[in-house]
Amino acid sequence: MTRSRVTVVDIAQAAGVSKSTVSLVLQASPLVNEQTRAKVNAAIRELGYVYNRGAANLRQTASSKIVGIVVNDLTNSFFAELAVGMDMVMQSAGFVQFLANTGESIDRQREVVASMREHGISGLIISPARGTEAADFKPLTAAGVPVVVVVRNIAGAKVSSLLSDNYAGARQATEHLISLGHRRIAFLGGFSDTAVSGERMLGYREALAAAGLDADAALMVNSAPSRAGGVTAIERAMLIADRPTAALCFNDAVAFGVCDGLRARGLEPGRDFGVVGFDDVIEAETAVPALTTVSVDPQGMGRRAAQMLLKQINSGRVEAEAQVASVRLVVRQSCGATLKTWDGGATHDTASHDTVGTDRRQHDRA
Amino acid sequence: MTRSRVTVVDIAQAAGVSKSTVSLVLQASPLVNEQTRAKVNAAIRELGYVYNRGAANLRQTASSKIVGIVVNDLTNSFFAELAVGMDMVMQSAGFVQFLANTGESIDRQREVVASMREHGISGLIISPARGTEAADFKPLTAAGVPVVVVVRNIAGAKVSSLLSDNYAGARQATEHLISLGHRRIAFLGGFSDTAVSGERMLGYREALAAAGLDADAALMVNSAPSRAGGVTAIERAMLIADRPTAALCFNDAVAFGVCDGLRARGLEPGRDFGVVGFDDVIEAETAVPALTTVSVDPQGMGRRAAQMLLKQINSGRVEAEAQVASVRLVVRQSCGATLKTWDGGATHDTASHDTVGTDRRQHDRA
DNA sequence: TGACTATTTTGGAACGATCCAATAAATCTC
DNA sequence: GAGATTTATTGGATCGTTCCAAAATAGTCA
């Protein structure tokens, strides 16, 4: 016996006014008399009324107060934090968000976006799955739904974007490793056919070139952009004859995997091998050794993307705007630059240095 | 010039039928003639029609195909994976989900649940913030909205729940550490005033008691249930005179922090100190040393919770059902079990074993 | 008091899809 | 070929809110 919903009419009846008046109270209109407002509010509380936004949204002037957020891998801390950042500003703005995970499946992405549209989102933030094309956003923009693309760029799409400065970050990180004395620097993880990977790799290569080092193709190894991928990437990188002594990793997850892989072969990241990540996820700081990484502040990026979207929703204009979030290298321990004390090992009795490189040794175990 | 929405009437006109017929086509009714259906579908594609679910939901017989998911800390892998598990089955069932992060704020939680209700969720899965009371769910259940509480129990709430068997898991893990010869076993991390922590701590204490060991209050140290919390917890635990030789950690995040903290003081987890986590997050397997932990399979739990909710939504009956997800101890390396000769002494010259870390040695620096 | 503002309140027509009862068209039955 | 049956189609009322034009009430001033 599910009793039928409590509606404005019920409230009106209970408060002895018309439904129009109740409606005015609901939207806090100054037109309504204080006493009347109090009576209506009392009735609302009394009857346990809940506003039906769906009904209100029917009138085409209304905004649904719903946005869609689509990410490709929520299990990756980077995206989880991105989502949390968005959530914060959306909640504060009185919006509620659909969130969907695509797991890089373009089909799921299409379904999920279609589904969100049916439910009437007033905007969409998406970190597109691999293979997403500019044309995929056509229907959205044509319908006047603002879209913000984050993290991964979609060439030719007439939507707003918020990307991190991958080129600059990678270049800076690579230069840092070079300044520490490294000459054989690997680029590990990620898929080179993605825009993000391409940009980071370009920064890496140009930094090498500028220093007069040549980019050995054997030093660039693709892998899944995950911790497990990092393990396999470093394994492969150490198979070649002229081994790297340091690596720029596609992201922090890969970097952690690389650290795992190094330890598995008896090498200590930061001491025996320089490791630099990308993203600066929350664990990067507390990990041991603390991860030197390019900070992109995912939560901040999420907040910023949300603000971009809100601005467009509120202004009513759908005008593409491309923003680039600047990044900065955060030097911690995994690159070897701040090497302090854990030199430990009996076969190892160097004094402390503040750079890597001097006490690096080759552990031949293969 | 945002042209007004395309509606069923427009489609009807274009296809030369009535809006009722269009509606029948939309819900794939067998009543409609094949040719008519084709005509209508063509018009739908032609005009770029998008279904307006909000309008459909007005009729009270309809189900909104929206569920709400509320978690308290999406940056914790455990919850991220839980969410992904739910997302999977919800997507497959044609539902779309609101997702909100409360960050343990009971106010945000209340706001966000209210907001979701206004948008017409047909069900809610919630991992309640600390301090949530049974009464908070009253309005939901009274309105016939099924609720599934996950992870944390709310005593007295008349809603369904899916909890992991914290008691059994903690007991099993503690027994395992005891069987490895440990006598001073700490319980690190978490807040003892939460249900989850209470259950796990009980399992820990009863295992100790059953083995004739007494539970030293100094060995139980509270901390935030995060990686950073784990670092501080182990630091505090190592300050006491009669130090622990192993620890059961509140969750995997804490366990990783404990490993970090141990390394910072020159101790190698798994060799010099037994560490057991709880949750079995995805990184537990690939970490070095691989984390011995109580597997609760967060993704599987998410899927299961989603299924419970769907069952209730579909059956229309709101009947509370309490499920307990069984857990199992996954023995990896961090507990030291794969190292046979654990003796806890400072002088330590074990031979090679088939684990990582054979050439790592103890660094006494404290 | 009556005319004239302000200030409040209010029916009814949207909004877009569904569903029921009723109709129209096609097929069958004897 | 008239009636019964099956198969397709269709107006209109409905869901809960907003908004507009209009009405009712209160307040002001000559």
Side-chain angles (χ1 to χ4, degrees), chain A residues 91 94 106 119 125 216 228 230-231 298 314 324-325 362:
Chain A
Q91 269 186 41
I106 200 124
H119 282 102
I125 303 181
D216 184 347
V231 175
N314 295 329
V324 174
Q362 185 107 349

Side-chain angles (χ1 to χ4, degrees), chain B residues 167 170-171 187 197-208:
Chain B
Y167 170 81
R171 175 149 190 169
F187 184 95
S197 190
E199 292 158 21
R200 291 184 186 172
M201 211 176 264
L202 187 67
Y204 155 81
R205 293 168 75 159
E206 295 206 351
L208 289 185

Side-chain angles (χ1 to χ4, degrees), chain A:
Chain A
M1 180 70 43
T2 65
R3 23 194 275 252
S4 63
R5 281 184 281 213
V6 178
T7 80
V8 276
V9 189
D10 301 315
I11 303 299
Q13 206 144 25
V17 297
S18 79
K19 63 185 165 48
S20 301
T21 304
V22 176
S23 175
L24 290 174
V25 171
L26 285 175
Q27 41 206 320
S29 163
L31 267 57
V32 52
N33 181 295
E34 266 324 311
Q35 285 180 29
T36 318
R37 184 193 308 281
K39 259 193 312 189
V40 171
N41 279 326
I44 285 177
R45 235 181 322 255
E46 179 78 19
L47 302 189
Y49 168 74
V50 332
Y51 185 70
N52 185 334
R53 229 168 250 283
N57 289 160
L58 225 44
R59 332 222 64 246
Q60 61 231 57
T61 50
S63 144
S64 71
K65 292 282 185 179
I66 305 178
V67 297
I69 294 179
V70 176
V71 297
N72 31 299
D73 181 14
L74 199 63
T75 60
N76 180 330
S77 298
F78 178 84
F79 290 106
E81 298 205 33
L82 195 76
V84 168
M86 295 175 188
D87 184 79
M88 283 174 161
V89 343
M90 285 307 176
Q91 269 186 41
S92 302
F95 277 69
V96 62
Q97 57 190 335
F98 287 133
L99 187 136
N101 196 238
T102 60
E104 297 290 5
S105 158
I106 200 124
D107 289 333
R108 287 225 132 177
Q109 176 172 294
R110 206 185 7 251
E111 283 169 21
V112 117
V113 170
S115 186
M116 288 178 175
R117 279 200 72 192
E118 293 188 352
H119 282 102
I121 51 176
S122 10
L124 176 72
I125 303 181
I126 182 170
S127 163
R130 287 173 70 192
T132 303
E133 292 164 19
D136 295 333
F137 299 120
K138 256 321 241 340
L140 273 298
T141 52
V145 177
V147 176
V148 174
V149 161
V150 286
V151 181
R152 300 176 174 182
N153 197 21
I154 301 295
K158 295 193 50 91
V159 298
S160 290
S161 62
L162 174 58
L163 309 168
S164 48
D165 196 344
N166 293 307
Y167 170 82
R171 175 148 188 171
Q172 209 176 326
T174 310
E175 283 165 353
H176 175 69
L177 286 171
I178 294 170
S179 78
L180 293 177
H182 291 280
R183 291 292 168 268
R184 297 285 293 168
I185 302 173
F187 185 97
L188 304 180
F191 295 108
S192 52
D193 60 338
T194 64
V196 174
S197 190
E199 291 158 23
R200 293 185 184 171
M201 211 176 261
L202 187 66
Y204 155 83
R205 293 168 76 157
E206 295 206 351
L208 290 184
L213 302 171
D214 59 317
D216 184 347
L219 288 176
M220 299 180 241
V221 2
N222 278 2
S223 81
S226 62
R227 190 155 185 152
V231 175
T232 65
I234 184 68
E235 275 168 7
R236 260 191 290 153
M238 296 306 261
L239 288 178
I240 66 176
D242 195 1
R243 293 180 180 173
T245 62
L248 171 62
C249 302
F250 173 69
N251 65 15
D252 286 350
V254 169
F256 288 129
V258 167
C259 288
D260 294 344
L262 287 169
R263 290 223 180 83
R265 33 169 62 230
L267 296 174
E268 182 61 24
R271 187 192 60 199
D272 308 319
F273 194 98
V275 176
V276 179
F278 213 114
D279 286 353
D280 198 19
V281 299
I282 212 149
E283 299 95 339
E285 191 175 356
T286 49
V288 175
L291 195 63
T292 292
T293 186
V294 178
S295 174
V296 316
D297 183 18
Q299 228 179 84
M301 229 173 129
R303 283 195 298 267
R304 195 162 152 188
Q307 281 153 357
M308 285 174 69
L309 186 66
L310 286 178
K311 202 178 66 180
Q312 284 195 59
I313 290 174
N314 295 329
S315 77
R317 297 177 308 110
V318 183
E319 188 173 293
E321 165 195 26
Q323 287 197 25
V324 174
S326 62
V327 300
R328 71 195 163 82
L329 183 69
V330 177
V331 177
R332 298 204 183 95
Q333 280 138 24
S334 68
C335 60
T338 59
L339 189 67
K340 316 189 231 213
T341 41
W342 78 78
D343 62 306
T347 56
H348 209 91
D349 60 354
T350 49
S352 288
H353 291 281
D354 57 1
T355 64
V356 131
T358 44
D359 64 337
R360 239 181 284 115
R361 329 166 75 252
Q362 185 107 349
H363 292 241
D364 264 336
R365 28 181 35 246

Side-chain angles (χ1 to χ4, degrees), chain B residues 4 37 95 254 263 270 328 353:
Chain B
S4 61
R37 184 192 308 281
F95 277 70
V254 169
R263 288 222 181 85
R328 70 194 163 83
H353 292 279

Side-chain angles (χ1 to χ4, degrees), chain B residues 88-99:
Chain B
M88 283 173 162
V89 342
M90 285 306 176
Q91 269 186 43
S92 303
F95 277 70
V96 61
Q97 56 191 335
F98 288 133
L99 187 136

